[in-house]
Amino acid sequence: MKRCRIQWTPLLVFSFAIFASVIFGEGAPALRASEKVKPGMDSTWQNLMEAGEASFRLGNFDDAENLFAMAACSEQNANANELLIATSLMREADACCKEERFATADRLYKRALEIRERKLGTDHTDVVQVLSKQAWLEERHRNYLMEEEIYRRILKIEQKKFGAESPSVAITMKNIAHCIYERAFDLDPKPAEPRKNPAFVDAENLLEKALAICEKSEGTNSKTATQILDEQSHMYWMYDYFSKGEQCLRRALAIRDTYLAPDDPLLESNLRGLIGIKARQNTEDRVLFKRVLAIWKKNPTALQTPPSRTNQVICLNNRGVLCLNMGEYQMAEEYFLKALQIDPNYKLCSENLNIVRMNMKSKESDNTRSLLQHNTTRD
């Protein structure tokens, strides 16, 4: 039987999908401690910000961008509280990122950063918030050297503010390690012996140190630790250390299983990562397939992927392939059709759709023959 083909690239981004949702997925509090509206002040800024946050949550990013821009202008024309303006600029930039208008977002983040540095100081935690968003932009453009510089600045601020063994410090270490091994991979994608590569060793050691910090500060079932384990598995995947990558992902899954339901959508990325690793090892784990199917049946429209058209199509195709492997032909066909609605020219998905329909016809024929045999026996 001809096999459907799956594209594994999105499985590499499971940890970064989560990271992007942390950075942009939720509205930042409209009023931070340093940006409170005083009694008697014009409430126009606050009303516009609240309307912008509502539009952002609904996915109306163009409306949100306009509302945040109006909030910045209203405050400029009213009380000129620069910190409020900085917040508006930052949220306007967040909306631009959702619309993939990254050059505009970068300009807005820089303006917000300049205001906060001038008003609050260069080592304030509100400065870190903007720096983290700038680092995300650099990561998206694969400017890992610049991204690493930003995270090293963040690390110094966090170590000073929270101590050397805080969970936030561990996460920043994780992000620095990501920059190191990604940059090394760009220079030499498939080294003969990765552990003789100083960059790989530095990244591995930094991730181990970050994990130790999490376990010491939050315990062995730390939620923060799962993010570091995800990062470790991603690095090991890239360098073909599949058994190590599987160990990290299974450990992360075991932790998440302690506080999430078995069919929680937040587990999908973890499970798909494990399925991808098993595929690269030419093996499979049917339990993983069943758990992923349970998640999809409960949340058929949810996609745990970055908000790009290409990733949506690839993810839908991959879902269809996994459903086919489990004999869920109807679900497989639905996912392939959804992918082709987004991109009718996606050849791989068209081929897979033909395969699943052949299987459906074959199953119908088998059922018909079985029924005829049954009737004959009964007569």
Side-chain angles (χ1 to χ4, degrees):
M1 181 184 72
K2 188 176 180 182
R3 295 181 64 84
C4 276
R5 291 157 58 201
I6 192 164
Q7 187 166 339
W8 293 110
T9 303
L11 297 175
L12 300 179
V13 299
F14 55 89
S15 59
F16 307 110
I18 297 172
F19 174 67
S21 69
V22 171
I23 296 291
F24 304 110
E26 298 178 358
L31 299 177
R32 298 180 64 82
S34 57
E35 303 162 348
K36 291 181 180 178
V37 176
K38 297 178 181 178
M41 291 176 63
D42 185 0
S43 61
T44 302
W45 178 87
Q46 187 171 9
N47 292 335
L48 286 168
M49 288 297 293
E50 289 175 353
E53 297 294 355
S55 293
F56 195 99
R57 287 191 293 271
L58 291 172
N60 300 325
F61 303 119
D62 186 56
D63 290 343
E65 178 190 351
N66 291 332
L67 287 163
F68 292 138
M70 290 169 62
C73 290
S74 72
E75 187 57 31
Q76 182 68 47
N77 295 330
N79 303 295
N81 184 325
E82 288 190 282
L83 290 174
L84 297 184
I85 294 170
T87 295
S88 299
L89 293 172
M90 188 179 67
R91 295 300 288 145
E92 184 183 352
D94 290 347
C96 288
C97 286
K98 287 290 191 179
E99 298 175 296
E100 299 189 2
R101 295 174 51 234
F102 301 113
T104 301
D106 183 52
R107 176 176 55 82
L108 293 168
Y109 283 141
K110 286 177 179 176
R111 287 177 59 193
L113 180 64
E114 185 277 327
I115 292 172
R116 286 189 172 181
E117 287 180 325
R118 177 161 42 82
K119 301 294 290 187
L120 302 172
T122 57
D123 61 350
H124 196 279
T125 52
D126 286 4
V127 169
V128 169
Q129 186 185 36
V130 188
L131 288 172
S132 296
K133 294 171 184 291
Q134 288 184 311
W136 183 88
L137 281 178
E138 299 297 344
E139 194 275 336
R140 189 190 178 280
H141 296 298
R142 302 186 70 85
N143 296 328
Y144 296 118
L145 185 59
M146 182 62 70
E147 183 188 5
E148 181 182 344
E149 290 179 5
I150 295 173
Y151 278 126
R152 288 196 181 277
R153 180 182 170 188
I154 292 173
L155 182 64
K156 290 181 180 179
I157 297 172
E158 291 177 333
Q159 287 175 331
K160 181 179 178 181
K161 293 290 183 179
F162 309 124
E165 296 186 345
S166 71
S168 60
V169 165
I171 290 298
T172 302
M173 285 181 173
K174 170 191 77 74
N175 293 334
I176 293 172
H178 172 76
C179 298
I180 293 171
Y181 75 74
E182 286 279 8
R183 189 169 72 251
F185 189 84
D186 283 350
L187 295 172
D188 186 6
K190 293 295 179 183
E193 297 184 61
R195 283 204 166 89
K196 290 186 178 180
N197 183 333
F200 178 90
V201 174
D202 287 347
E204 188 175 39
N205 290 339
L206 200 56
L207 288 170
E208 288 292 342
K209 185 176 180 181
L211 187 60
I213 289 173
C214 286
E215 292 176 339
K216 183 177 180 180
S217 60
E218 297 183 334
T220 55
N221 286 338
S222 162
K223 292 183 181 181
T224 309
T226 60
Q227 299 179 50
I228 298 168
L229 289 164
D230 286 344
E231 191 71 58
Q232 286 179 313
S233 68
H234 180 252
M235 181 181 69
Y236 289 132
W237 165 292
M238 289 178 65
Y239 285 94
D240 294 344
Y241 289 128
F242 299 123
S243 60
K244 290 281 290 184
E246 182 179 356
Q247 289 174 17
C248 294
L249 272 185
R250 287 197 180 277
R251 184 175 169 191
L253 181 63
I255 295 173
R256 290 185 171 113
D257 277 336
T258 64
Y259 61 88
L260 294 173
D263 56 0
D264 192 297
L266 293 176
L267 294 173
E268 181 187 338
S269 294
N270 219 160
L271 293 165
R272 286 194 297 114
L274 281 167
I275 290 171
I277 285 178
K278 300 301 286 186
R280 292 293 297 274
Q281 295 173 307
N282 295 316
T283 60
E284 63 180 35
D285 185 333
R286 305 297 281 184
V287 173
L288 298 174
F289 282 103
K290 289 178 180 178
R291 290 194 62 179
V292 171
L293 279 175
I295 292 172
W296 293 347
K297 287 179 178 179
K298 183 179 179 181
N299 304 275
T301 60
L303 292 177
Q304 295 293 316
T305 56
S308 74
R309 183 171 174 267
T310 300
N311 275 326
Q312 288 179 24
V313 172
I314 293 172
C315 183
L316 287 167
N317 173 74
N318 290 353
R319 284 190 175 195
V321 173
L322 296 182
C323 288
L324 174 61
N325 289 339
M326 292 296 294
E328 298 283 350
Y329 299 137
Q330 189 66 44
M331 284 183 68
E333 183 182 38
E334 290 174 2
Y335 281 127
F336 292 140
L337 288 172
K338 287 178 182 177
L340 289 170
Q341 285 178 355
I342 300 173
D343 184 1
N345 299 318
Y346 189 34
K347 185 177 178 181
L348 177 62
C349 194
S350 296
E351 294 173 356
N352 288 340
L353 179 61
N354 290 334
I355 293 170
V356 77
R357 284 178 170 170
M358 288 172 57
N359 278 274
M360 292 172 76
K361 288 182 179 179
S362 176
K363 184 178 180 180
E364 289 175 0
S365 299
D366 290 343
N367 289 340
T368 301
R369 285 195 297 269
S370 176
L371 181 61
L372 288 170
Q373 292 170 359
H374 179 74
N375 289 340
T376 301
T377 303
R378 187 177 60 183
D379 289 340

